[in-house]
Amino acid sequence: MGMQTWNLAKEDYLTALSLDADLAEAWLGWALAEESAGDSEAAIAVYSEMLDHFPNEYTAIYNRAVNRFKTGEFAAAFEDYQLLTQLQPEEKTNWHGLAVCADKIGISEVAMDAYSQALAIDPDYLPALFNRGSLFFDQQAWNQALADFQK
């Protein structure tokens, strides 16, 4: 879709929210329109404002985490992923996101634990196997790295 279409969609969502600020679908639609127009910063702001109204709205937290990661806000994304692992601890992608952010901000022990949590849910989850193997490799834990890479 073109930029004009996203702007029209954004206007519609803003109109809906002016009538009822408790329409979660309108908040999500507005944020997704910002994302689709390529403005991650604006999307993050909308998700944050939405979360003032709906503090545990999973989709908003997840999408904000992804956009924070895309914009290099790794510590903020890490906080979002921590909340996501509490809201849905059975979701491997939450643990993987937490691990990647932890690694980016230099807390490799937390990263290792989170990769292992993702793999406890799905032992064949390739992104976690590769990233944990890479972390083992960086720590010169050759046997553990090789085990993850061979799986």
Side-chain angles (χ1 to χ4, degrees), residues 3-117:
M3 183 64 80
Q4 183 178 7
T5 303
W6 293 120
N7 285 333
L8 291 173
K10 176 182 166 180
E11 289 175 24
D12 288 344
Y13 291 124
L14 288 170
T15 299
L17 289 169
S18 72
L19 298 172
D20 185 354
D22 289 329
L23 292 173
E25 297 82 3
W27 285 103
L28 285 174
W30 176 19
L32 290 170
E34 297 289 8
E35 278 186 66
S36 298
D39 193 346
S40 289
E41 296 287 340
I44 291 167
V46 174
Y47 288 126
S48 294
E49 191 173 346
M50 178 186 179
L51 289 165
D52 289 340
H53 295 267
F54 307 96
N56 291 320
E57 167 46 54
Y58 180 86
T59 302
I61 300 166
Y62 183 85
N63 289 354
R64 184 176 70 176
V66 169
N67 280 279
R68 284 176 161 175
F69 187 88
K70 284 178 12 182
T71 60
E73 298 176 42
F74 303 121
F78 176 81
E79 291 176 11
D80 283 342
Y81 280 112
Q82 284 182 307
L83 181 55
L84 289 166
T85 60
Q86 293 169 13
L87 292 173
Q88 289 192 10
E90 71 287 347
E91 178 55 52
K92 65 187 174 191
T93 58
N94 293 338
W95 291 103
H96 184 259
L98 181 69
V100 172
C101 291
D103 196 23
K104 290 281 189 184
I105 61 176
I107 45 179
S108 58
E109 184 176 309
V110 172
M112 189 68 74
D113 290 344
Y115 286 132
S116 295
Q117 284 285 348

